[in-house]
């Protein structure tokens, strides 16, 4: 009989419903990225960063289909992703990149929606970012740059983010020699818009925040937060490193719209209380659902 510990440690197969949901959403994400590329960016000679940017440059110089470069330049990263992250990630990535390559080929004959490079950069970057964000959120990737950065991080004194930044500066700089420096600057706009959109899609528009409060009036504060914000609180045991005094720490999760009200509650009850608020990418389970306060 398999123990509960082994069930947790060992990889468990995804349910059929989860697999179907992931497949549909990765398909939608890859198709959206193809729309951003073929209907906005590529016809206006604006590129994205990473392997996608290299593919656009090589497609322009060779005259070959963009989809061929998108697929074959990402092939090595399927294996690296499998070794570094896992089988599910590698399969999801292979599926997503295949859909992306096919979609760009099918959309290539479709007329461009705008010839204004600024509009193309903003809306193309936004649509591309939504597509990439959906794929990442559901376990895949459409660009091998992140996987390559994870591999190099172990051998170089740089973080994953720094490696990706250096790589993309090189790619976007190369666009200046191929398409002209004005297009390189538009490409930078498209990349920034896509980058911020990806963050919004992955983290969600209604961003949650965690709040940590240390106060001698923890009981009154906790009850007030429950009553006036409708949020559950958790009391944690703490000890001051300098004084050695035992402290109760209040932990709660709020939305960014509730942050100002929480601060006013703390200021009203205990102006000397310690308060720390930070962003949370995702919240699941527990009693996060807001209770009625009226």
């Amino acid at each position: 009989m398999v123990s509960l510990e082994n069930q947790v440690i060992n990889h468990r197969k995804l349910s059929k419903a989860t697999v179907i949901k992931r497949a549909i959403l990765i398909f939608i994400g890859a198709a959206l990225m193809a729309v951003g590329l073929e209907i906005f960016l590529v016809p206006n000679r604006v590129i994205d960063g990473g392997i996608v940017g290299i593919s656009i440059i090589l497609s322009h110089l060779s005259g070959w289909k963009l989809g061929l470069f998108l697929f074959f330049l990402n092939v090595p990263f399927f294996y690296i992703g499998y070794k570094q992250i896992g089988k599910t990630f590698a399969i999801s990535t292979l599926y997503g990149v295949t859909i992306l390559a096919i979609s760009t080929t099918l959309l290539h004959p479709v007329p461009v929606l705008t010839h204004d490079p600024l509009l193309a950069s903003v809306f193309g970057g936004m649509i591309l970012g939504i597509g990439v964000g959906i794929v990442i959120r559901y376990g895949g990737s459409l660009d091998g740059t992140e996987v390559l950065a994870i591999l190099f991080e172990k051998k170089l004194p740089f973080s994953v983010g720094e490696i990706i930044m250096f790589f993309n500066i090189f790619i976007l700089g190369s666009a200046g020699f191929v398409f002209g420096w004005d297009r390189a600057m538009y490409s930078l706009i498209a990349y920034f818009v896509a980058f911020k959109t990806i963050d919004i899609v992955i983290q969600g528009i209604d961003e949650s925040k965690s709040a940590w409060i240390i106060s001698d009036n923890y009981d009154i504060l906790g009850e007030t937060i429950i009553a006036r914000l409708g949020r559950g609180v958790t009391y944690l045991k703490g000890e001051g490193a300098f004084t050695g005094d035992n402290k109760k720490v209040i932990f709660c999760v709020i939305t960014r719209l509730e942050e100002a009200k929480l601060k006013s509650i703390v200021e009203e009850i205990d102006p000397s209380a310690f308060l720390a608020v930070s962003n949370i990418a995702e919240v699941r389970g527990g009693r996060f659902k807001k209770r009625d306060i009226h």
Side-chain angles (χ1 to χ4, degrees):
M1 188 174 179
V2 181
S3 68
L4 178 61
E5 183 179 357
N6 288 335
Q7 287 180 356
V8 172
I9 293 172
N10 295 331
H11 176 73
R12 285 185 286 183
K13 292 181 67 175
L14 299 174
S15 67
K16 190 175 291 186
T18 301
V19 171
I20 293 171
K21 178 183 177 181
R22 282 194 177 190
I24 292 172
L25 288 165
I26 289 175
F27 179 91
I28 293 171
L32 282 172
M33 182 175 183
V35 170
L37 289 173
E38 288 290 353
I39 308 299
F40 290 93
L41 300 184
V42 174
N44 286 284
R45 294 182 297 164
V46 176
I47 74 168
D48 186 33
I51 301 300
V52 175
I54 295 175
S55 299
I56 294 172
I57 292 173
L58 292 177
S59 175
H60 174 78
L61 294 175
S62 66
W64 293 3
K65 296 291 186 184
L66 174 61
L68 290 174
F69 290 104
L70 288 172
F71 183 83
F72 287 109
L73 289 181
N74 275 298
V75 164
F77 302 109
F78 301 145
Y79 177 74
I80 297 172
Y82 172 75
K83 300 297 286 184
Q84 295 291 323
I85 302 174
K87 180 180 177 182
T88 303
F89 172 81
I91 293 173
S92 299
T93 299
L94 175 60
Y95 169 66
V97 171
T98 302
I99 297 301
L100 174 62
I102 294 171
S103 299
T104 53
T105 303
L106 294 175
L107 288 169
H108 188 69
V110 178
V112 62
L113 283 183
T114 178
H115 291 285
D116 185 323
L118 181 58
L119 287 176
S121 300
V122 173
F123 285 93
M126 193 182 301
I127 294 170
L128 185 147
I130 292 171
V132 173
I134 291 172
V135 173
I136 292 174
R137 183 161 185 163
Y138 289 95
S141 175
L142 295 175
D143 193 298
T145 311
E146 289 85 356
V147 180
L148 187 66
I150 291 170
L151 186 66
F152 282 166
E153 183 195 22
K154 299 177 180 179
K155 302 178 181 179
L156 297 173
F158 300 108
S159 67
V160 171
E162 288 170 337
I163 295 169
I164 293 172
M165 182 184 68
F166 295 147
F167 190 66
N168 284 327
I169 287 174
F170 172 76
I171 300 304
L172 295 171
S174 300
F177 294 100
V178 178
F179 300 117
W181 292 107
D182 62 331
R183 300 296 160 162
M185 289 185 278
Y186 283 124
S187 297
L188 190 60
I189 293 172
Y191 175 75
F192 179 76
V193 171
F195 181 81
K196 298 306 292 183
T197 306
I198 290 169
D199 276 352
I200 292 172
V201 172
I202 294 174
Q203 297 180 2
I205 296 174
D206 190 18
E207 188 177 305
S208 298
K209 293 176 177 285
S210 63
W212 303 80
I213 308 166
I214 302 175
S215 169
D216 292 333
N217 299 318
Y218 67 89
D219 48 350
I220 301 173
L221 266 172
E223 291 172 6
T224 306
I225 291 169
I226 294 171
R228 288 165 58 177
L229 275 183
R231 295 295 183 187
V233 301
T234 300
Y235 296 126
L236 306 173
K237 292 182 179 179
E239 181 181 336
F242 183 74
T243 63
D245 295 338
N246 292 324
K247 297 283 186 180
K248 281 286 183 71
V249 181
I250 300 173
F251 173 76
C252 64
V253 177
I254 59 174
T255 66
R256 57 184 172 184
L257 297 177
E258 295 168 331
E259 183 179 355
K261 188 171 181 178
L262 175 67
K263 288 178 179 177
S264 68
I265 290 172
V266 174
E267 181 68 25
E268 176 187 332
I269 295 174
D270 186 0
S272 63
F274 171 84
L275 171 64
V277 180
S278 61
N279 294 331
I280 300 177
E282 187 172 0
V283 178
R284 292 190 181 186
R287 296 184 178 180
F288 178 64
K289 187 175 180 181
K290 186 176 176 69
R291 303 172 189 167
D292 291 335
I293 58 176
H294 298 295

